[in-house]
């Protein structure tokens, strides 16, 4: 047929191999190695479980990044992969060099398949594309001897059949295989469940840890030693799942204070932490200094959101040298209304050469707060994203801010609150005034810099709960849309 490329000889050969029911391990071991990656891909997508199992057991390359090919869960092929590993473990002799060292189950793209796709397409000859090139994309740990299985885990209360099956399988093989979890996300799990999982997936391998929890601070203290073992953590998020978790009175008891300290003190064990996030962690108030003083490494991201902080917290933020290379600062939902923002201005000046994103949405800031920040903001030359939605700024102060942003040449996304002049005495938006004022602001800004993605938004409409947004075009709230 015109316009359709006929299948290559290699593809025909693979199809024939997959149809061949006698294709077993000894037959696979006689095939040229460069045929195997594409054959494995096809066996997996075509759900040829027996072939998948035999191929895992005889895999001649040091790494098998199978997760990259299994983005859609399929229990049967997943079990075939596990059965292949079991056979691999039982075999004493592996005839080919470069035998399997790492089975990577993470469901993300892996360079290995690209390299071998190149070989298949005839981009380069198989001779100069041997395993050497593949080894280059292998992580350092692949060079050790024991078989390592790498996975990301997300533990949720709902049952994930594939993961349950994998965890049971891993539990039974923890003495013969090294299991590594690079990214662990927890959603509402009892402490003892996580502790069991950490007996199989040793905490020191975890690089990203996200704890969405409903524990009280006593439970948090019980978990603290496990957290302290995650010495190689790069990224940590602690987020209670509802407002009342971690709730403590204005004055903590000695016991509560002890528990919180025990948890915070673990931060001094992280050797490479770069991104630290707390969402709705109320016990941080008056304790931010304690947290930051425990840090061993400079942070790239500090995210403290939806909580109250004190003036002394804010004062320490400006002094802490661990924050002087900050790229992302997120203080969304932190109530700043009653605070003096001078320390924040000092911090912004310190990070003027590195800060790329700043989120201060819903901080209840007023003109007097923004005035303090403008001189520092104007110096932040790397800023690519600022969010000020949902604060109370008047037209002249917003204009003043925008007039001082000539340095923001990297800016991609900028979001500002609708100026106060857009609302009537009852708090309702005049859409006409809103669109007119925003258009004027943008026109004026264009005389000093060309904004890419700028928008202004009103507070939530009291009738429909939506905002009116003026960006590339005007989007009224739901009730205004209905009226039109
Ligand atoms: Zn509305």
């Amino acid at each position: 047929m015109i316009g359709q490329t006929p299948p290559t000889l290699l593809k025909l050969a693979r199809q024939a191999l997959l149809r061949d029911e006698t294709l077993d391990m000894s037959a696979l071991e006689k095939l040229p190695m460069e045929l195997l990656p594409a054959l494995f891909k096809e066996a997996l997508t075509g759900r040829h479980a027996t072939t998948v199992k035999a191929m895992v057991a005889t895999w001649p390359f040091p790494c098998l990044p199978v997760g990259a090919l299994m983005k859609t869960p399929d229990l049967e092929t997943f079990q075939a992969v596990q059965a292949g590993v079991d056979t691999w473990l039982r075999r004493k002799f592996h005839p080919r060099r470069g035998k399997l060292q790492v089975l990577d189950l993470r469901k993300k793209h892996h360079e290995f398949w690209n390299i071998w796709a190149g070989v298949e397409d005839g981009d380069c000859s198989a001779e100069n594309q041997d395993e050497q090139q593949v080894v280059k994309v292998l992580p350092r740990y692949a060079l050790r001897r024991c078989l390592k299985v790498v996975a990301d885990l997300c533990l949720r209360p709902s049952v994930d059949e594939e993961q349950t099956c994998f965890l049971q399988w891993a539990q039974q093989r923890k003495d013969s295989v090294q299991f590594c979890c690079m990214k662990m996300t927890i959603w509402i799990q009892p402490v003892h469940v996580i502790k069991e999982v950490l007996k199989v997936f040793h905490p020191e391998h975890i690089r990203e840890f996200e704890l969405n929890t409903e524990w009280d601070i006593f439970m948090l203290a019980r978990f603290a030693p496990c957290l302290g073992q995650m010495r190689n953590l790069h990224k940590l998020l602690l987020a209670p799942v509802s407002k009342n978790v971690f709730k403590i009175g204005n004055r903590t008891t000695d016991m509560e204070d002890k528990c919180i300290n025990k948890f915070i003190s673990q931060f001094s064990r992280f050797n490479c932490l770069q991104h630290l996030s707390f969402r709705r962690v109320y016990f941080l108030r008056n304790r931010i200094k304690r947290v930051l003083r425990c840090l061993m490494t400079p942070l790239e991201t500090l995210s403290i959101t939806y909580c109250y902080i004190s003036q002394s917290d804010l004062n320490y933020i400006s002094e802490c040298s661990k924050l002087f290379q900050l790229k992302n600062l997120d203080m969304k939902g932190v109530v700043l209304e009653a605070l003096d923002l001078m320390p924040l201005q000092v911090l912004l000046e310190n990070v003027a050469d590195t800060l790329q994103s700043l989120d201060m949405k819903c901080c209840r800031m007023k003109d007097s707060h923004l005035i303090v920040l403008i001189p520092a903001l104007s110096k932040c030359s790397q800023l690519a994203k600022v969010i000020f939605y949902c604060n109370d700024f008047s037209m002249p102060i917003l204009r003043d801010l925008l007039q001082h942003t000539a340095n923001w040449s990297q800016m991609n996304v900028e979001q500002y609150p609708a100026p106060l002049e857009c609302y009537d005495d009852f708090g309702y938006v005049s859409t006409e005034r809103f669109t007119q004022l925003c258009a004027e602001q943008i026109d004026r800004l264009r005389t000093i810099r060309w904004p890419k993605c700028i928008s202004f938004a009103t507070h939530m409409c009291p009738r429909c709960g939506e905002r009116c947004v003026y960006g590339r075009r005007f989007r009224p709230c739901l009730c205004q849309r209905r009226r039109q």
Side-chain angles (χ1 to χ4, degrees), residues 9-40 42-43 48 50-52 54-55 96 120:
L9 279 174
L10 279 171
K11 190 167 173 64
L12 290 170
R14 285 197 303 270
Q15 287 167 353
L17 284 167
L18 288 173
R19 278 195 302 271
D20 179 2
E21 284 169 11
T22 61
L23 185 70
D24 58 8
M25 290 182 359
S26 61
L28 281 166
E29 272 166 347
K30 288 185 194 106
L31 288 177
M33 273 171 63
E34 55 273 20
L35 275 184
L36 298 176
L39 184 65
F40 185 76
E42 276 177 41
H48 298 275
T50 321
T51 312
V52 168
M55 290 193 79
R96 295 216 215 200
E120 276 287 300

Side-chain angles (χ1 to χ4, degrees), residues 34 61 111 231 276 374 474:
E34 55 273 20
F61 303 98
E111 207 44 35
R231 290 164 197 276
L276 179 59
I374 290 175
F474 173 58

Side-chain angles (χ1 to χ4, degrees), residues 341-355:
L341 297 197
M342 211 44 182
L344 195 57
Q345 138 93 357
V346 175
L347 175 68
L348 291 175
E349 291 211 337
N350 282 325
V351 298
D353 294 334
T354 55
L355 195 70

Side-chain angles (χ1 to χ4, degrees), residues 39 141 408 435 438 472:
L39 184 65
Y141 51 71
W408 291 5
T435 50
C438 294
R472 243 170 234 151

